[in-house]
Amino acid sequence: MADQVFGGIKIRHLYKIFGPNAGAHVEAVKNGLTKAELNAKYGHVLGLRDINIEMPSGSIQVIMGLSGSGKSTLIRHINRLIDPTAGEVLVDGVDVVKMNEADLREFRRHQTAMVFQKFALLPHRTVLDNTIFGLEIQGIARDKSLDIAMRWLERVGLKGFEEKYPNQLSGGMQQRVGLARALANDAPVLLMDEAYSALDPLIRMDMQTVLLDLQKEIRKTIVFITHDLDEALRLGDQIAILRDGEVIQQGTSQDIVLRPADDYVANFVKEVNRGRVVHVEAVMTPATSPVSGKPAIPIGTTVEDTLRILSREVADEGVVVSPTGAPLGIVSLRQLSGAMVNAH
Amino acid sequence: MDWFYKFPHMDDNSLRDLKKVIDDGFRGFTRSYGDIIEGFFTPLQHFLIAAERFMLKTPWPIITLLILAIAYAATRSLKIVAGCLATLMLIGYFDMWDDTMRTISMIFVCTVLSIAIGIPIGILMARSDRMQRVINPVLDVMQTMPSFVYLIPVVMLLGIGKVPGLIAVVIYAIPPMIRLTDLGIRLVDKDVLEAADAFGADNRQKLFKVQLPLALPTIMAGINQTIMMALAMVVIASMIGVQGLGQPVLKAIANQYFTLGIFNGLAIVGIAIMFDRVSQAYGQRLQKHREIVHG
């Protein structure tokens, strides 16, 4: 299968300048011209500056930023809905930037699928006909694509809604259609552009769960754009934080919460429910000698879940153990509560 | 100070010569190419004659049933079907059946022709801004130029009869078809188009799977407008030999037959309302998926 050997996505030195004469200003921007200067002097807008991100195959890469940070611009470079001004976008080792139109169409048909913030469903088609859209574009026979579509509709919980029109569905259900349409393509890359931002919080949580459950079996390379840090921390194997077109921090959710790169990130992280993000090994006192009489806590457990275990076992301390059961450290209630309220 | 009060125009002789040159040129063009051009339009003439023969030779009960069946298929509304039936019966009872059939066949051919020419032009226009800049002024001219003026060259080229009438009607009636096709395609949601791009749709797939279906309600409005404008041209077209409800009206104007004018005028209004209601109801039925909105 293609996705087992899929080489992931590598973005290298990507620049995007918006304006009629963008190419002429790349050198100046590379040499340190700021976004404000570029706009004031030449009337061009700097969209992205020197983006370098490696997204390994089979993981969820979240790109987080507020509006205007360039995150939607960035995701559109991966399937080249927007042309970069300079740089490389390697998907499975092939530079998307260098493709001609026909290659690009083939690439979009087979290597990527996209889910949109505003769903972008076809209003004149039923749910089922929307779901086969990508397959229809690929030229797959209708009865075969209907089978595939029915399977994915069932998988995202839309069985029984095949003959409805998008307008008859709620936002959450419309986005399930969007997700089913993208999954039906069976492309190794799944691009999700603020896919859940238009949904209300409960539905959003629900859809995040759907995605995480699905990912366990489909193992796609997912690029997920969001402006919601909680969503980013919940979904992301890797997170990149974007501000004014620049990546200001990359790392796992642990890295972002425990070691924010600057005040901007720290400010974001302040509001996060740390108990659900920080893992117990980050707060424990390392100790490798065997301990008995204390509840064992597997490495990778969140602080909140650890507290749950300790209170259930009526214990003040727990032993953090590796997957093989070897002790790694001791963690106390004091350390855990300290981690919850960010006392360090 | 004479030039101040009277606009200094081209002197009379040169003006007369200019007009003469253009007239002679066009007349020469007509003489040498008239036959070829007429030959070019022969298929159209056959189409017109066939359509008219069908409407006239078919017995009236069958035509009535046919029209009612089309109306029902398009609208699924018994009210509209009943309205059509009443209109047709009144027209027949007042002895205007044959003229009405001629007019309906003419309008039918004009509409088919306008759609066949108008939609591709509208698509081209929506595809490129430059095309739009070129075609728009042409459409403006077609809509504002008094129809008598472009009847002159058409009659000079093709003589009097059905085909020149058809051309005059199409020139007058096609602009809304073109404009609304263009508008409909341009108004298609950019997000949906982007989605089609993201899934790798080529231009053809985008046109037939996304743009045209989503523009269809607007295009239907264009067809409706085209039919209405074609009907409005019936009387003028009758001046160059198009048979139908226009000719009795023309006769009524010339001889001051008030009742004849009113009857035939009302028959035109009757079929106009029929066409309008049926085509609009059909257009709305096409948009059914838009109406049922999630609460």
Side-chain angles (χ1 to χ4, degrees), chain A residues 102-262:
Chain A
D103 289 344
L104 184 60
R105 266 203 303 275
E106 282 305 303
F107 166 78
R108 286 172 178 168
R109 284 178 190 179
H110 299 288
Q111 303 279 16
T112 67
M114 196 162 181
V115 183
F116 297 86
Q117 180 177 12
K118 291 177 194 152
F119 321 138
L121 301 173
L122 294 166
H124 64 288
R125 288 179 167 218
T126 61
V127 166
L128 187 58
D129 280 330
N130 263 293
T131 312
I132 65 165
F133 183 72
L135 301 170
E136 202 179 303
I137 297 293
Q138 290 178 19
I140 291 174
R142 190 175 161 85
D143 48 346
K144 196 178 160 204
S145 32
L146 285 181
D147 286 347
I148 301 173
M150 288 298 283
R151 214 175 60 227
W152 284 113
L153 282 175
E154 199 177 333
R155 192 66 190 76
V156 299
L158 280 178
K159 200 174 162 57
F161 291 91
E162 300 89 3
E163 297 307 320
K164 299 262 189 236
Y165 285 99
N167 271 2
Q168 295 169 281
L169 304 180
S170 66
M173 287 165 99
Q174 289 190 42
Q175 195 57 299
R176 282 169 197 260
V177 181
L179 190 58
R181 173 174 70 177
L183 290 170
N185 247 19
D186 196 29
V189 176
L190 183 60
L191 304 172
M192 304 189 69
D193 178 26
E194 296 215 39
Y196 300 158
S197 300
L199 307 176
D200 49 57
L202 277 178
I203 309 283
R204 193 184 306 173
M205 284 286 282
D206 208 31
M207 292 295 286
Q208 288 165 2
T209 312
V210 169
L211 184 69
L212 287 172
D213 285 350
L214 276 170
Q215 173 67 352
K216 280 180 201 143
E217 58 187 84
I218 58 178
R219 291 268 143 217
K220 306 269 184 207
T221 307
I222 301 179
V223 184
F224 195 103
I225 300 285
T226 181
H227 60 244
D228 176 359
L229 186 62
D230 284 316
E231 187 166 70
L233 294 172
R234 177 143 189 248
L235 295 178
D237 295 320
Q238 277 200 88
I239 300 169
I241 296 182
L242 218 58
R243 182 193 186 189
D244 285 340
E246 289 178 70
V247 174
I248 50 175
Q249 186 170 7
Q250 290 190 65
T252 63
S253 49
Q254 298 289 300
D255 296 335
I256 305 276
V257 173
L258 295 173
R259 291 172 289 278
D262 61 8

Side-chain angles (χ1 to χ4, degrees), chain B residues 138-209:
Chain B
V138 177
L139 296 180
D140 291 339
V141 172
M142 283 160 73
Q143 282 186 302
T144 48
M145 177 78 86
S147 28
F148 295 105
V149 174
Y150 56 75
L151 282 183
I152 305 168
V154 172
V155 170
M156 280 171 77
L157 264 177
L158 299 167
I160 278 179
K162 285 190 177 61
V163 172
L166 177 77
I167 293 171
V169 174
V170 169
I171 290 177
Y172 182 72
I174 205 173
M177 187 72 253
I178 298 175
R179 283 194 212 273
L180 286 169
T181 304
D182 172 46
L183 180 72
I185 292 176
R186 281 176 189 264
L187 285 183
V188 168
D189 192 352
K190 296 281 173 290
D191 292 331
V192 179
L193 269 183
E194 188 184 44
D197 271 329
F199 280 94
D202 55 32
N203 283 334
R204 212 186 139 74
Q205 288 171 325
K206 269 192 284 185
L207 182 67
F208 287 106
K209 292 183 196 295

Side-chain angles (χ1 to χ4, degrees), chain B residues 24-47:
Chain B
D24 286 349
F26 188 69
R27 202 164 292 136
F29 173 78
T30 316
R31 288 213 185 94
S32 29
Y33 297 103
D35 289 341
I36 299 170
I37 292 173
E38 231 180 296
F40 177 73
F41 285 111
T42 328
L44 215 54
Q45 190 163 16
H46 291 316
F47 184 23

Side-chain angles (χ1 to χ4, degrees), chain B residues 4 84 131 169 177 180 209-210 223 268:
Chain B
F4 188 74
C84 291
M131 206 68 177
V169 174
M177 187 72 253
L180 286 169
K209 292 183 196 295
V210 181
I223 295 177
I268 295 178

